[in-house]
Amino acid sequence: MATIILSILIVLSLIYILALSQRTSLAELFARGPQMLTGFFIGFIADFLDTLGIGSFLTTTTLFRASHYLEDDRHLPGTLNIAHTLPTITEALFFISVVKVDSLTLISMVLAATAGGKMGSEIVSHLNRKLILRTISIAMLLTSLLMLGRITGFVDSLGSGNTAMGLTGWALVLGILGNFVLGALMSAGVGLYSPCMVMVYLLGMNPLAAFPIMMTSCAALMPITSMTFIKNDSYHKKSLGWIVLGGILGVIIAATLVKSMSLTLLSWIIVLVGFFTAFTLYRASQNLE
């Protein structure tokens, strides 16, 4: 089953590369000049942190603003998706190959996120984005506190054991429903990574199992989303290839570190990422009218 997923991701990558090459020349993608090093640095930092579960979009947006990389902010959504598609697929390929998650759990949760992103986005996009971000930020804060209680021993009933590499019964149903909702919420600017990591932990799975699940979920969505932006020429072309290369290198280095982390250290990283996500989502909601 993992081989089938890997094959699908490789095919999506080739389709994405073909679509991008038809709209953007190599000279544009790998243009020399100040943006070359800036783009490579942005890609490396953003996707290094993304591999740890922090998410690449917020980091990239912050670095874009600080470096004045983008000439037109209207190209931000397209540039984010297109620049991070291949690094995200690289993450998924790595963790599917290295982390052996139960096939039923992986497939069902990935399909749920994909369906949520397709079916749920029509509903979520019409809801109050400020309310969504604020609600999710509070939920992230509470679940991160619960996870912190589990790690420190104050709460013993959640995430018991945390050695499972798959879900069964009601836990699998909750995981599927949860990933469907998270897939839908991506259209409202809520990243899937951090909430998925915390959810998987609280359902009793090994924290490392979250990585192939969340990364494959996004890897299945991003090429399709990116091709829409490519078709509409709604992205920043100059030196975009350097962001992609920097991102892939950042993924390779970070993934190697994550694979060798202890369960305890990985759990603490997830907690910190959860608190950071709660803060950034709440702050983002305050900037909306």
Side-chain angles (χ1 to χ4, degrees), residues 223-244:
I224 300 171
T225 304
S226 294
M227 282 184 276
T228 301
F229 288 114
I230 293 172
K231 180 180 178 181
N232 296 327
D233 276 327
S234 182
Y235 62 102
H236 181 81
K237 298 181 179 181
K238 188 176 180 181
S239 300
L240 181 66
W242 295 112
I243 300 180
V244 177

Side-chain angles (χ1 to χ4, degrees), residues 32 37 40 42 52 64 81 91 106-107 128 135 139 154 179-180 200 210 213 217-218 271 274 278-279 288-289:
R32 302 292 181 91
L37 291 178
F40 188 88
I42 290 174
L52 298 182
F64 275 170
N81 278 277
E91 293 174 8
L106 177 63
I107 295 293
N128 186 303
T135 301
F154 287 103
N179 240 29
F180 178 87
V200 163
I213 292 173
S217 298
C218 290
V271 168
F279 170 75
L288 297 175
E289 296 182 0

Side-chain angles (χ1 to χ4, degrees), residues 38-118:
T38 302
F40 188 88
F41 174 80
I42 290 174
F44 180 87
I45 296 298
D47 285 302
F48 181 93
L49 295 176
D50 190 65
T51 310
L52 298 182
I54 292 175
S56 58
F57 281 17
L58 176 63
T59 307
T60 304
T61 301
T62 302
L63 293 174
F64 275 170
R65 297 273 160 76
S67 63
H68 304 288
Y69 185 88
L70 281 187
E71 298 170 357
D72 188 345
D73 279 347
R74 290 176 298 181
H75 290 162
L76 178 62
T79 305
L80 289 174
N81 278 277
I82 295 169
H84 294 298
T85 290
L86 286 183
T88 302
I89 291 177
T90 303
E91 293 174 8
L93 293 174
F94 179 89
F95 282 105
I96 289 174
S97 302
V98 173
V99 181
K100 305 303 179 185
V101 178
D102 172 65
S103 295
L104 177 61
T105 302
L106 177 63
I107 295 293
S108 59
M109 290 185 69
V110 168
L111 289 177
T114 305
K118 286 296 181 183

Side-chain angles (χ1 to χ4, degrees), residues 45 92 151 165 169 184 196 283 287:
I45 296 298
I151 294 174
M165 298 304 287
C196 183
R283 187 174 179 181
N287 295 329

